[in-house]
Amino acid sequence: MRVLFTTWAWPSHLYALVPLAWACRSAGHEVLVVSQPELLPLIERTGLPGAAVGKDVDGVGMVRGYVLPSEDDPTADRRAPRAGKGPRALRMFTAHADSMVEGTAETARRWRADVVVSEPTALAGPLAAAAAGIPAVRLLYGADLMARARPLLPEALAPLAERVGVDPEGYDPFGAVTIDPCPPGFQVPDPSGHPRLPMRYVPFNGPGTPPDPPLPPPAPGIRRAVVTWGHTMARLDPALFLAGHAARALAALPGTETVLAVTAAQRPLLGEVPDGVRVVTDAPLHTVLGGADLVVAHGGAGTVLTGLRAGAPLLLVPQLPDHAGHAARVLAAGAGEVLTRDEADAEALRDAAAGLLDPVRGAERREAARALRDGMLEQPAPASVVGELEERVVACAA
């Protein structure tokens, strides 16, 4: 079986594909990951075969237009206008699809792919599969925030469909099935009833090595809070990168050890780091969360699911619409607390963290986070999902 994986050029979207892609390779199947040229070096660093298609789009500039408004908003003059129904970012996703749909379709045909697996915002993937006459599979990277946009996609993508010879009304932009890595009780409801396959969430937070020297377990009676701000916000504007601010707020909590997990490029953006705060650079997040009692972050899907995989409650400060969507799911599941950027001054961060870390006040949140972790671990491993893909490819070819 030949499995073509695709995403537009955004690191966290690529990372969500890696565990299933490697499961396919481990099962003896051929894998190829395609994206815009900008992402090719990072694809190669995952160890997976990659190919560039289409042309680069200013992803950072476009994402910057969707930063949530705040009183001190460094991106206010670049805000994307709201237009039409569905997710505000649909225009951005369509622009990425426009840049790579012909290349993805041509690669699917030339490489003789048997199935196309795409993350939910890579809208070129289902079109390429339809053009090649093979199944399309959607692999979620978190909450299905595109679910409500499904009825709008045929019209939005009609010009692209016609360019690759696909009837805009004759294919499903969600493909044959959706693979869902979220634990039971976390996912948004899907009124459409689109077929789903559950899959255990396996963290891949980017290439890298564990902390060196390793993080020792917290001392008896000491709680550990890990602060991280993902890969996106610092790329949009340094003023949106609040990891240093959050760490300074938490450093004043008695009986608490604060760990900052950042990239080497983000390290200069932290500002003054209080004594006692340990800074870990370029370590994949899941290698830092052992022994964590709390994760303080921005609310990106990978960070949220990795924190829950560690069984840790979350304190989130969402700054993009998808962050807000994942933060809402954390609240709905009772696994953490959420502050807006305007609310997240040092005192509010410290008070919210203290409540989540308190043995009594935070007990329900910790229990909910651990229940989600246990639910994750009960889901089928990616290797099991490969067998499901095989069956669907055989059925389609019959």
Side-chain angles (χ1 to χ4, degrees), residues 10-12 14-15 38-48 206-207:
W10 206 252
S12 57
L14 167 66
Y15 297 161
E38 177 187 348
L39 197 65
L40 188 57
L42 189 54
I43 295 171
E44 293 171 347
R45 289 185 63 202
T46 72
L48 294 165

Side-chain angles (χ1 to χ4, degrees), residues 283-345:
L285 182 59
H286 70 276
T287 69
V288 182
L289 295 186
D293 298 291
L294 174 66
V295 176
V296 182
H298 58 305
T303 299
V304 167
L305 292 185
T306 301
L308 293 176
R309 173 67 184 254
L314 298 139
L315 173 56
L316 303 175
V317 184
Q319 295 168 272
L320 286 169
D322 63 301
H323 299 171
H326 284 89
R329 301 315 300 163
V330 169
L331 276 181
E337 299 289 350
V338 178
L339 298 171
T340 68
R341 183 173 178 229
D342 291 332
E343 293 170 339
D345 60 24

Side-chain angles (χ1 to χ4, degrees), residues 133-398:
I134 57 177
V137 173
R138 204 170 60 120
L139 174 54
L140 301 179
Y141 50 72
D144 192 357
L145 304 179
M146 290 288 289
R148 66 189 179 95
R150 187 182 183 196
L152 309 174
L153 293 180
E155 180 180 353
L157 298 174
L160 307 187
E162 292 167 357
R163 274 168 34 194
V164 293
V166 171
D167 177 359
E169 300 294 334
Y171 84 109
D172 190 335
F174 274 20
V177 67
T178 292
I179 299 172
D180 187 356
C182 290
F186 185 85
Q187 189 55 269
V188 297
D190 179 13
S192 74
H194 188 253
R196 297 216 173 187
L197 291 176
M199 184 180 77
R200 184 183 311 160
Y201 177 72
V202 176
F204 182 85
N205 309 120
T209 57
D212 186 18
L215 284 173
I222 299 298
R223 304 156 300 179
R224 174 175 291 166
V226 176
V227 178
T228 185
W229 230 256
H231 297 275
T232 295
M233 303 316 297
R235 297 177 70 193
L236 304 186
D237 194 293
L240 300 172
F241 184 69
L242 306 182
H245 166 65
R248 285 186 288 275
L250 269 60
L253 281 175
T256 302
E257 173 193 39
T258 301
V259 175
L260 262 169
V262 297
T263 67
Q266 292 169 349
R267 180 64 177 84
L269 305 179
L270 294 174
E272 182 179 352
V273 177
D275 293 339
V277 173
R278 172 152 183 187
V279 180
V280 176
T281 57
D282 291 335
L285 182 59
H286 70 276
T287 69
V288 182
L289 295 186
D293 298 291
L294 174 66
V295 176
V296 182
H298 58 305
T303 299
V304 167
L305 292 185
T306 301
L308 293 176
R309 173 67 184 254
L314 298 139
L315 173 56
L316 303 175
V317 184
Q319 295 168 272
L320 286 169
D322 63 301
H323 299 171
H326 284 89
R329 301 315 300 163
V330 169
L331 276 181
E337 299 289 350
V338 178
L339 298 171
T340 68
R341 183 173 178 229
D342 291 332
E343 293 170 339
D345 60 24
E347 182 178 0
L349 283 166
R350 195 159 44 245
D351 288 349
L356 290 168
L357 290 167
D358 185 89
V360 176
R361 288 186 291 151
E364 290 187 6
R365 299 290 190 265
R366 286 193 299 277
E367 183 178 348
R370 290 168 185 162
L372 290 172
R373 173 198 60 195
D374 295 344
M376 280 183 179
L377 297 176
E378 292 170 358
Q379 302 291 75
S384 299
V385 176
V386 175
E388 295 274 1
L389 292 182
E390 293 169 349
E391 292 180 7
R392 290 176 182 274
V393 167
V394 169
C396 182

